[in-house]
Amino acid sequence: MNRLYSLTLCAALGLAACGSNTSSGVSGNGGSSGNGGGSGNGGSSGSSSTKSALDITPVDNTVSGWTIDRAANKNSNAAPMTGTTKAEVEAWIDGAATPFFLAPSTPTMFAWQNYTNPTLSAAQPDVASISMYILQMPSVDQANGLYTAVLPLSEYARKAGTAEDWKPTTPTVGDASRIEDDGSHWWINFHKGVFYVEIKLDPSTGPAPDYTASDPDTMKEAVRFAQAVADRM
């Protein structure tokens, strides 16, 4: 997905919300499923979590009904695509990683995983999919700052530089969360502790009734998936 970023934001944080699949890049690392354990999020200034982005990334059926989309995954072992530097992340998402690393943003890990669900809704029979980004930041403040700073970017502010399409999720996911229907996806952003997360749920690739704009059932499913990720932090 192409994005236009204002030069005036070059000193601010930003985040590309989705990327396209590529065949090159850093090999994704494995990791435990990350069940249980303390949150390790600390206070307002924060420090590194005791868990990593890999620990909290769901595996098959961690969120019931959702399995790793191996066709979209570029690692033979279906591990998340990961990067710890701008160059590594750019290799995965076609060069759209620059906003991840604009000062003062200094992510310690980026993880990207894709999921599929063939039975999300009888009204939407085509396979549903989710694309998820997790950014592990060095502090709670940076995760919170990234969540706030992306809103002026054109990808997030769809109406003349505003973010009025975004609404708080019900219930709140993590420390703060928002959701919008961008016309083809339910898109959730949230942050919790040192993590900033973006989740896009595509109900299907087909026309109506396979895809129904603003469908409340798929909105609830997007929130359920996000909550399951937050619960692992």
Side-chain angles (χ1 to χ4, degrees):
M1 180 182 294
N2 293 323
R3 297 174 178 81
L4 297 177
Y5 297 99
S6 170
L7 292 177
T8 61
L9 294 172
C10 288
L13 289 171
L15 178 62
C18 62
S20 61
N21 296 330
T22 63
S23 59
S24 62
V26 61
S27 175
N29 298 320
S32 65
S33 62
N35 295 325
S39 63
N41 290 329
S44 60
S45 61
S47 60
S48 295
S49 172
T50 57
K51 293 184 178 180
S52 76
L54 292 173
D55 293 325
I56 65 177
T57 301
V59 295
D60 289 342
N61 290 306
T62 297
V63 185
S64 59
W66 292 93
T67 57
I68 294 169
D69 187 348
R70 286 160 174 79
N73 196 293
K74 299 305 176 181
N75 290 323
S76 59
N77 61 356
M81 288 70 73
T82 64
T84 58
T85 68
K86 177 183 173 183
E88 289 174 344
V89 176
E90 282 178 340
W92 289 123
I93 58 176
D94 292 343
T98 298
F100 292 4
F101 295 90
L102 290 176
S105 181
T106 54
T108 59
M109 179 178 287
F110 163 92
W112 170 29
Q113 187 58 285
N114 301 298
Y115 300 89
T116 186
N117 185 333
T119 59
L120 178 59
S121 171
Q124 297 167 347
D126 285 358
V127 173
S129 61
I130 277 177
S131 178
M132 180 180 69
Y133 287 3
I134 300 176
L135 267 76
Q136 183 172 356
M137 309 303 289
S139 71
V140 174
D141 283 348
Q142 280 212 20
N144 179 45
L146 182 57
Y147 178 83
T148 301
V150 296
L151 281 180
L153 301 180
S154 61
E155 183 68 21
Y156 297 77
R158 296 177 58 212
K159 294 183 178 181
T162 72
E164 60 193 61
D165 285 352
W166 290 97
K167 296 176 175 59
T169 65
T170 303
T172 300
V173 178
D175 298 328
S177 56
R178 57 188 175 232
I179 188 168
E180 76 163 345
D181 181 0
D182 70 2
S184 58
H185 305 82
W186 283 107
W187 183 12
I188 291 180
N189 302 165
F190 76 89
H191 70 95
K192 180 178 178 181
V194 299
F195 298 102
Y196 171 76
V197 180
E198 294 193 347
I199 292 169
K200 275 196 172 184
L201 190 158
D202 182 358
S204 79
T205 57
D210 290 353
Y211 173 73
T212 303
S214 304
D215 181 71
D217 290 335
T218 49
M219 178 184 70
K220 290 177 182 177
E221 184 66 10
V223 174
R224 184 179 78 93
F225 190 98
Q227 185 62 62
V229 175
D231 287 346
R232 296 166 65 80
M233 294 175 177

